[in-house]
């Protein structure tokens, strides 16, 4: 049987977040919560588009909490296959047993399933979710030859980093059009400073300086950086500063160095940041 594999070999990272615990802090940036709640009411899949570190994953955690649904997250990468999502036979002692994958589990219990970076996954993943994204709302378990109907509360969410940068994969129109799409981008300076303060208890005056640096670098399009300063990088810098690392060093290691390996650009960005912090 070609589906037989050892118990430990699953190559997809996934996490299940239950409803216990505090609601994640999320600063709304627009109408995303309202749209999501309506999409959930209509059980229309939602696609979160936007550059890395702009709050997509945080938003899903927050809204799942608000809707009181368990959340199952799958971080997709080049090796993520439909088998990783649907399930497989595993060997347990002398027996072979079927184990539901995270997608099958979500479909059965009525969870929100979040496919993070969906475009990275193998094409068979997209094929597997098609029947869940249209009127059929069912999942075909190919290895069992079974079709299961999705629980009434099941919902599919995916995130995607649009292909305006080299190296990122595109998502086919036939797939995109199965979702309503919400765009994420860098927050306004005021919102971003508030996020930093909330995330790290950093002083507002320093948070504002970090946001100033970020916006300055974001506007330096002529540097040709593949990715620019995300809120995530700023949060890291803010944490390091709050924990006592000198500000300039924190900005250098958390903001400048992760952006580029070009020595000249690194030095000029570091100089710019030194002046601003
Ligand atoms: N709107 C927001 N509200 C609260 N935190 C945010 C927000 N946007 C970004 N963040 C912060 O930035 C970090 C990265 O966001 P994340 O959701 O992981 O980004 P993405 O999934 O878009 O790559 C979060 O851990 C959080 O600290
Ligand atoms: Mg994410």
């Amino acid at each position: 049987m070609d589906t037989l594999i050892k118990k430990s070999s699953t190559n997809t990272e996934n996490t299940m977040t239950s409803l216990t615990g505090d609601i994640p802090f999320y600063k709304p940036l627009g109408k995303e919560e309202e749209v999501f709640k309506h999409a959930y009411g209509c059980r229309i899949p939602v696609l979160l588009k936007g550059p890395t570190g702009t709050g997509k994953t945080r938003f899903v955690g927050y809204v799942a909490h608000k809707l009181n649904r368990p959340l199952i997250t799958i971080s997709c990468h080049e090796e993520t296959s439909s088998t990783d999502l649907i399930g497989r036979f595993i060997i347990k002692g002398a027996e072979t047993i079927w184990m539901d994958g995270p997608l099958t589990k979500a479909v059965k219990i009525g969870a929100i399933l979040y496919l993070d970076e969906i475009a990275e996954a193998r094409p068979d993943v997209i094929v597997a979710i098609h029947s869940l994204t249209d009127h059929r709302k069912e999942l075909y378990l190919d290895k069992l030859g079974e079709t299961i109907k999705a629980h009434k509360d099941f919902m599919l969410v995916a995130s995607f980093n649009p292909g305006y940068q080299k190296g990122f994969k595109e998502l086919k129109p036939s797939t995109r059009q199965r979702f309503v799409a919400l765009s994420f981008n860098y927050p306004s300076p005021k919102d971003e400073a508030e996020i930093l303060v909330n995330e790290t208890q950093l002083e507002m005056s320093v948070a504002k300086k970090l946001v100033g640096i970020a916006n300055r670098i974001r506007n330096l399009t002529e540097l040709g950086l593949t990715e620019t300063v995300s809120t995530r990088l700023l949060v890291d810098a803010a944490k390091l500063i709050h924990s006592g690392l000198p500000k300039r060093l924190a900005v250098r290691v958390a903001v400048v160095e992760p952006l580029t390996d070009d020595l000249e650009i690194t030095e000029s960005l570091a100089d710019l940041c030194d002046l601003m912090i």
Side-chain angles (χ1 to χ4, degrees), residues 29-273:
L29 305 171
K31 305 243 177 248
E32 66 275 30
E33 183 172 346
E34 186 184 354
V35 171
F36 193 100
K37 283 180 172 167
H38 281 273
Y40 183 73
C42 304
R43 300 296 186 273
I44 303 173
V46 172
L47 181 66
L48 312 177
K49 308 189 292 180
T52 184
T54 48
K56 301 183 292 297
T57 298
R58 179 63 68 89
F59 171 67
V60 180
Y62 163 82
V63 83
H65 230 278
K66 279 283 191 94
L67 289 165
N68 211 22
R69 297 313 310 153
L71 172 67
I72 298 181
T73 300
I74 300 170
S75 302
C76 301
H77 52 78
E78 315 77 80
E79 299 293 317
T80 307
S81 68
S82 61
T83 301
D84 295 324
L85 266 59
I86 292 174
R88 47 175 38 114
F89 287 102
I90 60 164
I91 303 169
K92 203 169 186 188
E95 269 183 306
T96 309
I97 59 165
W98 170 258
M99 204 164 94
D100 283 342
L103 173 61
T104 309
K105 190 170 171 191
V107 164
K108 285 182 177 171
I109 68 172
I112 292 179
L113 183 90
Y114 177 40
L115 292 174
D116 200 2
E117 298 294 350
I118 189 176
E120 295 294 319
R122 286 178 18 183
D124 58 335
V125 166
I126 310 286
V127 175
I129 61 168
H130 266 190
S131 57
L132 283 167
T133 56
D134 55 34
H135 65 280
R136 288 172 286 175
K137 296 273 186 286
E138 58 188 30
L139 177 66
Y140 179 56
L141 311 179
D142 52 348
K143 302 215 161 69
L144 296 176
E146 243 176 60
T147 298
I148 55 170
K149 274 270 167 219
H151 186 287
K152 65 172 181 38
D153 296 332
F154 170 78
M155 159 96 161
L156 184 71
V157 184
S159 77
F160 165 59
N161 195 334
Y164 47 73
Q165 296 130 348
K166 273 187 249 124
F168 281 97
K169 293 185 191 157
E170 258 303 339
L171 206 54
K172 283 197 205 140
S174 56
T175 305
R176 301 171 68 108
Q177 294 195 13
R178 291 169 179 271
F179 293 85
V180 294
L182 278 169
S183 269
F184 282 69
N185 218 322
Y186 306 113
S188 71
K190 184 174 170 288
D191 285 344
E192 195 161 34
E194 279 173 28
I195 290 169
L196 298 187
V197 171
N198 244 289
E199 291 285 286
T200 67
Q201 281 78 53
L202 186 71
E203 285 159 51
M204 183 50 102
S205 58
V206 187
K208 281 184 177 161
K209 286 188 182 163
L210 286 175
V211 171
I213 287 175
N215 283 303
R216 188 69 189 273
I217 299 177
R218 284 169 192 159
N219 288 327
L220 293 174
T221 45
E222 66 274 18
L223 292 183
L225 301 169
T226 32
E227 285 261 301
T228 187
V229 186
S230 66
T231 306
R232 178 186 292 122
L233 291 187
L234 288 191
V235 170
D236 290 344
K239 280 183 185 156
L240 293 176
I241 294 171
H242 188 64
S243 87
L245 196 69
K247 291 186 196 103
R248 289 181 174 180
L249 182 56
V251 169
R252 178 167 186 130
V253 296
V255 177
V256 178
E257 296 281 356
L259 288 182
T260 176
D261 298 319
D262 183 303
L263 290 180
E264 247 173 71
I265 299 180
T266 304
E267 287 315 319
S268 49
L269 285 180
D271 287 348
L272 172 75
C273 294

